[in-house]
């Protein structure tokens, strides 16, 4: 079997994490089988369309490197790739269904349908359109629309690679709409025709379609199609784990993550891990490793929780694995304006110092400002530190003066700075938690920094001493 998967988004808004995950899973399955991955735009619901979303989908896939072999902007034998450009194909298949007696024109007005629904509810049985099927002969020539499928009610059992064996009784089967009154197909009809025409081997899509799957199976039979392999990942849940992830949970548009300096491989690693693991405790995967290890069979059945802290951790881990050259290149757009006068070698050293703590590149200005700018004193830093605020000003000042006296003698080599700082712990009889915190605050005006000696080496003698003096004067 040739593996061919597709990502089939409706252009109804931004690309959310759940959508990207669907695309990623389909892409991974295609790539690991040397198959084809298709982008198909399902734009048959004109009312729900959002301007610009096709471009946004395409851009998101490109940025993430989820390259498709054919799509709206990449010709291929399966095209066209927008459903709105395939209307004649759906109409041809609709005519075949009419000829075989499996589709008919729906003659009812909305009021009539409402009356049927009321009547069924009053009789305590569910409203099914097929119980009210009219005795009319459809005639495509007159374009009587909407066109409905004439279902053959029966029970179904089917296998879903992720959800396992599923089944539904014949009450799940109804005469659903194939072609709407505007001449556009429904998703229910169009995707079945497209997946067949495009020879898709696997349908990977969200849970919202499981309830309709018996209807789809009924239609496949009527058309004489063999259904593709079905794989339905569970929903991505919000951080609380009890409802679907929404924009309100802080989940951003994928392009925002990129703009904030998240790494593509880390984002893909994180998104793949929403519901999938390789059966070991391994958590960090490169893109190639994902292609090697991913399997639909190992996607869990229950919802996967979106935890942004985990994303931060994972992104940090990927940053720590970057080569020095890649690190420089990725960091480039994120330097604060005040860094522009510094030479690349200095920036590189700064970067190596913060690499350990960096969770995304957008943090660079905040984490590195003190390597570049003149600093304004922030008195809050001492008062917010419980250990330092326990000392009085004279004590704090005394400690800083001892540091100043020693550092004035230093050549500011790393070895000498380390030696002097350690000696100061002894001569002042203070723990690092007090002495080093105090020197750190004085020289960086930040509550945290990379290791102190390394930071001072880069800040340099002149600036370090000036900053110590500034803090001493203020005390
Ligand atoms: N157009 C559907 C959606 O965006 C996709 C369903 C599918 O992949 O078949 O929800």
């Amino acid at each position: 079997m040739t593996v061919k998967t597709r990502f089939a988004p409706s252009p109804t808004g931004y690309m959310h994490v759940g959508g990207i995950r669907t695309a990623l899973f389909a892409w991974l399955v295609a790539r690991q089988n040397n198959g084809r991955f298709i982008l198909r735009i399902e734009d048959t619901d004109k009312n729900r369309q959002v301007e610009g979303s096709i471009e946004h989908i395409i851009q998101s896939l490109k940025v993430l490197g989820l390259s498709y072999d054919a799509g709206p902007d990449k010709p291929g034998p399966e095209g066209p790739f927008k459903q709105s450009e395939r209307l004649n194909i759906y109409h041809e298949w609709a005519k075949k269904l009419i000829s075989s007696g499996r589709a008919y024109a729906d003659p009812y007005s909305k009021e009539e349908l409402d009356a049927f629904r009321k009547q069924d509810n009053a009789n305590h049985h569910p409203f099914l359109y097929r119980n009210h099927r009219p005795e009319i002969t459809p005639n495509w020539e007159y374009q009587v629309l909407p066109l409905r499928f004439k279902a053959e009610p029966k029970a179904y059992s089917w296998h879903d690679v992720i959800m396992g064996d599923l089944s539904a009784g014949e009450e799940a089967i109804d005469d659903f709409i194939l072609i709407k009154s505007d001449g556009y197909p429904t998703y229910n009809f169009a995707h079945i025709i497209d997946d067949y025409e495009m020879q898709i081997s696997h349908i990977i899509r969200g849970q919202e379609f499981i309830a309709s799957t018996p209807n789809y199976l009924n239609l496949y039979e009527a058309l004489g199609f063999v259904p593709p392999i079905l794989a339905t990942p569970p929903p991505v849940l919000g951080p609380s784990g009890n409802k679907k992830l929404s924009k309100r949970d802080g989940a951003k548009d994928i392009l925002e993550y990129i703009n904030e300096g998240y790494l593509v491989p880390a984002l893909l690693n994180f998104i793949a891990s929403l519901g999938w693991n390789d059966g070991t405790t391994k958590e960090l995967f490169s893109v190639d490793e994902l292609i090697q290890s991913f399997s639909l069979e190992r996607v869990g059945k229950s919802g996967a929780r979106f935890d942004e802290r985990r994303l931060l951790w994972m992104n940090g881990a990927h940053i720590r694995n970057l080569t020095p050259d890649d690190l420089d290149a990725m960091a480039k757009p994120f330097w604060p304006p005040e860094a522009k006068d510094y030479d690349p070698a200095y920036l590189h050293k700064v970067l190596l110092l913060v690499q350990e703590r960096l969770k995304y590149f957008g943090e660079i200005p905040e984490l590195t400002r003190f390597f570049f700018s003149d600093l304004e004193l922030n008195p809050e830093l001492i008062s917010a530190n419980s250990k330092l605020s326990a000392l009085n000003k004279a004590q704090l000042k005394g400690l800083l003066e001892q540091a100043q006296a020693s550092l004035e003698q230093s050549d500011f080599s790393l070895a000498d700075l380390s030696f002097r700082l350690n000696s100061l712990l002894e001569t002042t009889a203070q723990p690092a938690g007090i002495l080093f915190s105090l020197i750190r605050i004085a020289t960086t005006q930040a509550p945290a920094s990379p290791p102190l000696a390394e930071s001072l080496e880069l800040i340099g003698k002149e600036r370090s001493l000036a900053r110590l003096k500034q803090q001493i004067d203020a005390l």
Side-chain angles (χ1 to χ4, degrees):
M1 181 185 71
T2 311
V3 168
K4 203 194 269 188
T5 61
R6 83 311 193 261
F7 179 49
S10 306
T12 52
Y14 81 124
M15 276 283 266
H16 52 81
V17 174
I20 301 280
R21 188 186 57 165
T22 306
L24 173 61
F25 286 1
W27 181 82
L28 288 170
V29 169
R31 290 294 166 262
Q32 67 187 187
N33 290 290
N34 294 316
R36 257 172 99 73
F37 176 59
I38 305 286
L39 174 62
R40 180 172 82 218
I41 300 294
E42 305 210 317
D43 57 347
T44 58
D45 191 345
K46 286 176 282 179
N47 298 328
R48 289 181 56 226
Q49 258 177 72
V50 174
E51 177 110 33
S53 37
I54 298 183
E55 294 71 21
H56 185 70
I57 290 165
I58 289 178
Q59 199 198 350
S60 302
L61 294 176
K62 292 223 159 110
V63 166
L64 291 172
L66 302 181
S67 54
Y68 38 90
D69 300 295
D73 57 343
K74 190 160 190 211
E78 301 89 352
F81 296 94
K82 284 186 189 163
Q83 289 185 326
S84 58
E85 293 167 10
R86 302 173 60 82
L87 298 185
N88 57 334
I89 302 176
Y90 311 124
H91 291 180
E92 283 313 307
W93 281 103
K95 285 181 202 167
K96 286 187 204 174
L97 284 171
I98 293 170
S99 323
S100 61
R102 297 304 303 275
Y104 63 92
D106 173 351
Y108 299 124
S109 66
K110 190 182 166 304
E111 289 70 31
E112 286 170 304
L113 282 181
D114 285 346
F116 293 144
R117 189 173 285 115
K118 259 206 191 116
Q119 183 190 325
D120 285 345
N121 288 346
N123 296 334
H124 303 289
H125 48 77
F127 169 71
L128 285 173
Y129 189 93
R130 62 177 157 84
N131 295 333
H132 306 277
R133 214 177 255 170
E135 289 299 325
I136 58 159
T137 322
N139 189 343
W140 187 263
E141 298 303 312
Y142 296 109
Q143 301 274 341
V144 184
L145 293 172
L147 191 76
R148 282 188 186 263
F149 177 49
K150 188 171 178 184
E152 264 176 11
K154 54 166 119 164
Y156 280 99
S157 302
W158 71 97
H159 185 72
D160 184 294
V161 184
I162 295 172
M163 298 309 291
D165 291 324
L166 301 173
S167 59
E170 63 172 47
E171 68 285 350
I173 306 289
D174 201 6
D175 290 0
F176 60 90
I177 294 177
L178 301 170
I179 308 271
K180 296 176 279 185
S181 46
D182 62 3
Y184 276 63
T186 55
Y187 164 78
N188 296 338
F189 183 43
H191 86 276
I192 286 184
I193 300 302
D194 289 340
D195 288 338
Y196 173 78
E197 293 268 348
M198 296 179 175
Q199 298 177 301
I200 297 300
S201 61
H202 294 64
I203 296 183
I204 301 166
R205 67 177 163 205
Q207 297 260 325
E208 58 272 38
F209 301 103
I210 285 195
S212 310
T213 300
N215 275 323
Y216 302 154
L217 295 172
N218 209 251
L219 180 57
Y220 284 120
E221 271 174 29
L223 290 162
F225 298 171
V226 179
I229 293 167
L230 300 176
T232 311
V236 179
L237 304 176
S240 62
N242 53 21
K243 60 172 179 36
K244 239 177 127 166
L245 180 69
S246 76
K247 228 177 175 176
R248 256 170 293 137
D249 297 314
K252 285 173 260 209
D253 179 330
I254 202 74
L255 294 177
E256 283 182 56
Y257 286 108
I258 301 281
N259 291 339
E260 288 178 9
Y262 285 79
L263 302 182
V264 166
L267 285 167
L268 295 180
N269 187 169
F270 173 71
I271 292 171
S273 77
L274 293 171
W276 172 82
N277 64 64
D278 74 344
T280 73
T281 52
K282 182 174 162 80
E283 291 189 271
L284 297 177
F285 291 84
S286 68
V287 176
D288 282 341
E289 286 173 327
L290 286 177
I291 294 175
Q292 293 299 319
S293 326
F294 180 77
S295 79
L296 289 170
E297 285 80 5
R298 285 212 52 86
V299 176
K301 285 191 178 107
S302 52
R305 206 164 58 85
F306 178 90
D307 180 354
E308 199 158 272
R309 283 168 314 180
R310 188 169 138 77
L311 170 59
L312 280 170
W313 166 78
M314 221 175 234
N315 201 59
H318 279 263
I319 288 179
R320 286 192 288 283
N321 284 338
L322 287 175
T323 62
D325 283 350
D326 284 346
L327 188 64
D328 283 344
M330 318 270 313
K332 209 164 185 180
F334 295 94
W335 288 111
E338 51 274 30
K340 75 173 186 324
D341 301 330
Y342 288 80
D343 69 49
Y346 184 79
L347 295 184
H348 183 67
K349 283 187 194 155
V350 170
L351 210 44
L352 289 182
L353 268 194
V354 295
Q355 183 175 17
E356 198 59 36
R357 300 182 53 228
L358 206 53
K359 293 186 290 307
Y360 59 98
F361 285 103
E363 288 182 315
I364 285 183
E366 183 195 324
L367 293 184
T368 66
R369 188 153 282 127
F370 49 84
F371 289 112
F372 308 109
S373 319
D374 289 338
L375 299 178
E376 283 203 11
L377 282 182
N378 177 359
E380 307 274 298
L381 288 170
I382 289 181
S383 51
N385 180 310
S386 60
K387 287 186 186 145
L388 295 182
S389 56
L391 302 182
N392 64 36
K393 281 192 181 180
Q395 289 169 309
L396 295 169
K397 194 169 163 209
L399 290 174
L400 284 177
E401 281 167 347
Q402 289 190 64
Q404 185 186 35
S406 170
L407 294 179
E408 271 170 353
Q409 308 302 315
S410 174
D411 62 3
F412 268 64
S413 66
L414 184 57
D416 188 63
L417 284 166
S418 306
F419 172 77
R420 284 176 187 277
L421 288 171
N422 284 326
S423 312
L424 278 165
L425 290 178
E426 281 170 38
T427 49
T428 60
Q430 292 290 344
I434 289 185
L435 184 69
F436 289 1
S437 298
L438 182 60
I439 299 174
R440 182 190 311 282
I441 287 174
T443 53
T444 67
Q445 296 300 316
S449 78
L452 186 57
E454 281 86 344
S455 299
L456 291 177
E457 183 197 15
L458 271 193
I459 293 168
K461 184 165 183 175
E462 196 182 322
R463 278 192 299 184
S464 298
L465 289 172
R467 289 173 185 182
L468 280 174
K469 180 168 183 308
Q470 185 186 22
Q471 187 82 60
I472 289 168
D473 291 348
L475 284 165

